[in-house]
Amino acid sequence: MHKRVARYKAVLFDLDGTLLDTAPDFTTATNVLLAKKNLPQTTEEKIRPLISDGSAGIISSIFMMDKSSQIFEKTRQELLVAYKKHLADNTRLFKGLDKLLLELENNNIPWGVVTNKPELYTKAIFNQLKMKWHPDVTVCPDHIKKIKPDPEAVLLACSQLGVKAKDTVFIGDHHRDIKAGISAGTSTIAAAYGYIDDHSALSDWQADHIVMRSEDLINLIFYPQ
């Protein structure tokens, strides 16, 4: 087997909008709840930029409900119930990432996930997707005191992988991911193909690299053959 040379000793991914395209299933869950409340259906195009802010972002925007509303949390929990039933219907790795994960495995480069998605849903997705490759480490809000953009989760992932932050790259589609990576001392890649509502702001994130297509990530992780 031909070995490739990686630029890093470990790779960390944000989950939604970076490693996995979860938008189709968030859209399904949202439409299930909208139908239950006799409200008009929405589209994936409207849901995608909201996912980085989680279920609360969807409730605020799609259901036009302020967080101070007495039924905000009840509605959010209803959405999460619907999402748990559909979270692996159409969720998939972004294009080309199966090839990247294969290369990481073949070259003994550990990889992991650092997400603000609770462990309940993160574990369920990986179990139901039946992926060929599973992360060597997964850090969710359940495992830390401060979520991204705080660097705690990134540093914990590096520690569990047994690598230094300076030898690691963190890839994410939100400025909080890049801020967390920079604060932790990793290299950073902004995933412009992800759930970003304002691409003009990408340069302000100060990531080391910006990748426009998910299939091009492999060329930033490995040196040319």
Side-chain angles (χ1 to χ4, degrees):
M1 184 187 304
H2 179 71
K3 291 285 185 180
R4 296 189 65 175
V5 179
R7 303 174 193 267
Y8 312 98
K9 293 183 179 178
V11 179
L12 298 175
F13 299 90
D14 171 51
L15 189 63
D16 300 89
T18 301
L19 182 69
L20 297 179
D21 187 2
T22 54
D25 291 331
F26 271 109
T27 305
T28 297
T30 303
N31 280 329
V32 165
L33 187 56
L34 286 168
K36 181 180 176 182
K37 296 181 180 300
N38 295 313
L39 294 170
Q41 298 284 280
T42 190
T43 63
E44 185 177 321
E45 185 180 15
K46 291 180 180 177
I47 292 293
R48 288 178 71 87
L50 304 175
I51 293 173
S52 289
D53 291 321
S55 54
I58 293 174
I59 298 301
S60 295
S61 183
I62 301 299
F63 292 82
M64 292 180 287
M65 194 178 295
D66 190 83
K67 288 185 179 181
S68 61
S69 169
Q70 291 184 340
I71 61 170
F72 183 91
E73 184 57 25
K74 177 178 179 291
T75 308
R76 190 178 78 85
Q77 291 301 324
E78 287 180 293
L79 176 63
L80 291 174
V81 168
Y83 179 60
K84 195 165 188 296
K85 292 178 181 177
H86 297 281
L87 50 65
D89 290 358
N90 294 294
T91 287
R92 296 291 182 270
L93 285 167
F94 276 99
K95 187 177 180 182
L97 294 198
D98 52 346
K99 182 179 178 182
L100 172 56
L101 295 183
L102 175 61
E103 289 290 343
L104 292 175
E105 295 286 337
N106 286 345
N107 292 278
N108 298 313
I109 305 296
W111 65 279
V113 167
V114 177
T115 178
N116 283 354
K117 196 187 201 80
E119 185 178 29
L120 172 69
Y121 308 101
T122 301
K123 270 191 171 181
I125 286 178
F126 280 125
N127 288 338
Q128 292 181 43
L129 282 184
K130 296 180 173 60
M131 289 170 54
K132 294 179 183 177
W133 312 279
H134 279 254
D136 297 295
V137 64
T138 302
V139 178
C140 300
D142 316 62
H143 309 136
I144 52 175
K145 293 179 180 178
K146 296 180 179 179
I147 61 173
K148 299 177 294 183
D150 190 274
E152 182 185 355
V154 178
L155 290 170
L156 177 59
C158 291
S159 175
Q160 291 182 351
L161 290 176
V163 296
K164 294 179 180 178
K166 68 180 181 66
D167 298 322
T168 303
V169 63
F170 184 34
I171 309 160
D173 70 320
H174 196 279
H175 66 84
R176 73 169 70 93
D177 299 316
I178 305 306
K179 186 176 180 180
I182 292 172
S183 297
T186 70
S187 296
T188 53
I189 299 175
Y193 58 82
Y195 304 149
I196 298 172
D197 57 356
D198 183 11
H199 281 80
S200 65
L202 271 172
S203 59
D204 296 334
W205 296 5
Q206 298 183 316
D208 294 300
H209 302 281
I210 297 174
V211 63
M212 303 305 296
R213 304 188 317 151
S214 53
E215 54 265 50
D216 291 335
L217 257 179
I218 194 168
N219 298 321
L220 291 175
I221 304 300
F222 289 94
Y223 287 104
Q225 288 179 297

